Amino acid sequence: MATIESLSESVTAIGESIATTNGGLDVFYLLFAGAMVFFMQAGFAMLCAGSIRAKNVKNIMLKNILDACGGAVGFWTIGYAFAYGNADSSKITFIGNTDFVLENIHDGASLIGWFFQFAFAATAATIVAGTVAERCKFEAYICYSLMLTGFVYPHLEFIWIPLRLHR
């Protein structure tokens, strides 16, 4: 017959197993959702390609590809740190001041969280590609993409995390 101690150990083991499974499901969901948001880039690229003259399709496709690349660099270097870096809790802050170039982000779950947020930042930058198609120089567009993902998008996170100003 089972003792109370063995039942307690069994319940504890089941609880730990459920917690591990929940953590894995959370990571999978973030990865899947981030991939779906990132695939929106392809949709916006097709929309842009369909709305311009045939001679400029290669140019707009390159802009969309480099939008994701430039967005990754901007969000990796400073964007994520501004949006989600740990701010000094003794001061009222507007932006985060740690985790530049993901210096303290080492575990898989945190990196998947970074990918999820990057997908939204890069997709936000890509939305504008269609409006400036055939109207903007390539260099100016890359600068715009870096600025949006590195500075503008991260500063909007205080709308989503209102407690940032109350730390």
Side-chain angles (χ1 to χ4, degrees):
M1 182 172 222
T3 63
I4 301 259
E5 291 83 25
S6 65
L7 287 175
S8 175
E9 290 172 6
S10 296
V11 169
T12 303
I14 290 171
E16 290 171 0
S17 176
I18 290 172
T20 302
T21 302
N22 286 345
L25 286 173
D26 288 347
V27 168
F28 171 76
Y29 180 74
L30 274 180
L31 181 61
F32 180 75
M36 291 294 107
V37 171
F38 193 74
F39 282 141
M40 288 173 62
Q41 298 252 353
F44 285 120
M46 297 301 116
L47 179 67
C48 291
S51 64
I52 60 173
R53 293 177 287 179
K55 70 176 191 169
N56 292 324
V57 170
K58 289 180 186 175
N59 185 19
I60 198 68
M61 289 299 165
L62 183 61
K63 281 183 182 178
N64 276 285
I65 289 171
L66 291 179
D67 215 353
C69 296
V73 170
F75 200 67
W76 172 68
T77 53
I78 58 174
Y80 187 81
F82 282 171
Y84 302 102
N86 294 328
D88 185 359
S89 62
S90 65
K91 299 176 185 174
I92 295 176
T93 60
F94 182 65
I95 59 175
N97 57 7
T98 62
D99 298 335
F100 292 96
V101 294
L102 303 180
E103 67 181 333
N104 296 320
I105 308 295
H106 302 293
D107 62 305
S110 297
L111 290 172
I112 296 296
W114 175 86
F115 172 72
F116 181 72
Q117 295 301 328
F118 150 72
F120 276 102
T123 301
T126 300
I127 291 171
V128 177
T131 61
V132 297
E134 300 181 334
R135 296 176 189 90
C136 184
K137 292 210 179 273
F138 186 75
E139 296 84 8
Y141 186 77
I142 294 302
C143 290
Y144 149 78
S145 180
L146 287 169
M147 286 293 291
L148 186 91
T149 57
F151 293 102
V152 177
Y153 183 83
H155 285 91
L156 295 177
E157 65 85 27
F158 77 91
I159 294 171
W160 305 113
I161 304 174
L163 299 178
R164 166 74 76 183
L165 295 174
H166 301 292
R167 287 193 205 190

